């Protein structure tokens, strides 16, 4: 007779880590399939499987009495996959926005100077400009979010970012600045 999911969760909660492995073996394929159908991406589906099982481990005590652990896993896989898919679409839109800002401010390609040179240049910016540039490009916040975070107007944020980018180009020098654009700050996806 097969041990129920609830029994396996209860065993895991009491320290039987092999019980969790059994749950993973039993349900990983179903979770992967559901995630793959939502995302259409194998790597993302694998991440969903990991995320769902991490969540199951954290909530194992509460879920050991759940009437359908498999149902919970399926629903959680779908919700997690949708969330990751939305995040991916959002990220792609942000990259497109960076590319658009790059075209508006100069060269389309990013040929940053040597490794770490841009980061060193950012460290040389005045604090207010450095904060605005870091929040805008490294933490991908929009101007309204930065405004709220720094407690200044959106116009002030835009000026700080603009001045910061201009100062970065001056700090990097003519040869490095020729290939510099805000997209260089975005880093790899």
């Amino acid at each position: 007779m097969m041990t129920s999911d609830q029994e396996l969760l209860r065993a895991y909660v009491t320290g039987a880590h092999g019980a969790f492995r059994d749950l993973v073996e039993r349900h990983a394929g179903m979770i992967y399939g559901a995630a793959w159908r939502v995302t259409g991406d194998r790597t993302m589906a694998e991440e969903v499987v990991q995320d769902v099982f991490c969540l199951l481990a954290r909530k194992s005590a509460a879920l050991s009495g759940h009437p359908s652990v498999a149902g919970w896993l399926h629903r959680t896989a779908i919700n997690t996959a949708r969330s990751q898919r939305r995040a991916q679409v959002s990220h792609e839109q942000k990259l497109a926005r960076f590319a658009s800002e790059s075209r508006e401010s100069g060269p389309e390609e990013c040929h940053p100077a040597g490794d770490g040179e841009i980061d060193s240049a950012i460290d040389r910016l005045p604090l207010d400009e450095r904060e605005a540039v870091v929040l805008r490009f490294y933490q991908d916040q929009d101007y309204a979010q930065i405004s709220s975070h720094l407690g200044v107007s959106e116009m002030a944020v835009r000026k700080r970012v603009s001045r910061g980018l201009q100062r970065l180009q001056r700090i990097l020098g003519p040869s490095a600045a020729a290939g510099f654009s805000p997209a260089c700050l975005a880093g790899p996806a």
Side-chain angles (χ1 to χ4, degrees):
M1 185 161 143
M2 189 166 81
T3 307
S4 74
D5 292 339
Q6 292 84 355
E7 290 170 326
L8 288 172
L9 274 178
R10 283 192 284 276
Y12 171 69
V13 168
T14 61
H17 296 288
F20 196 81
R21 183 189 64 241
D22 292 344
L23 282 167
V24 170
E25 289 174 1
R26 186 179 291 179
H27 297 293
M30 179 263 303
I31 294 169
Y32 177 85
W36 184 80
R37 286 187 297 275
V38 170
T39 64
D41 181 275
R42 293 174 190 258
T43 303
M44 196 178 299
E46 291 169 359
E47 290 173 10
V48 169
V49 171
Q50 291 175 4
D51 291 348
V52 169
F53 281 116
C54 286
L55 190 57
L56 178 64
R58 284 196 308 266
K59 294 185 171 197
S60 58
L63 290 170
S64 63
H66 195 280
S68 175
V69 174
W72 181 89
L73 287 168
H74 183 266
R75 185 187 55 211
T76 303
I78 296 295
N79 290 340
T80 303
R82 286 178 179 157
S83 176
Q84 285 193 13
R85 181 69 185 129
R86 280 191 302 272
Q88 180 188 22
V89 168
S90 175
H91 179 71
E92 289 168 357
Q93 290 170 342
K94 290 170 189 172
L95 289 177
R97 189 179 69 240
F98 284 137
S100 172
E101 287 181 19
S102 297
R103 281 190 296 279
E104 292 170 6
S105 66
E108 290 188 28
E109 291 187 44
C110 176
H111 300 288
D115 289 337
E117 227 175 300
I118 291 176
D119 293 312
S120 295
I122 289 172
D123 283 342
R124 293 174 54 194
L125 293 176
L127 179 61
D128 62 337
E129 292 174 13
R130 182 173 59 236
E131 271 187 310
V133 167
V134 167
L135 291 171
R136 177 72 183 104
F137 296 103
Y138 284 144
Q139 295 188 359
D140 196 33
Q141 294 185 15
D142 62 30
Y143 293 111
Q145 291 170 314
I146 300 169
S147 170
S148 174
H149 181 85
L150 298 179
V152 298
S153 70
E154 278 189 53
M155 181 60 81
V157 170
R158 288 178 187 278
K159 285 181 183 177
R160 288 179 185 184
V161 168
S162 176
R163 281 193 315 256
L165 292 175
Q166 290 170 359
R167 195 179 310 265
L168 280 173
Q169 289 177 331
R170 283 194 305 272
I171 291 170
L172 291 170
S175 60
F180 173 78
S181 72
C184 296
L185 299 176

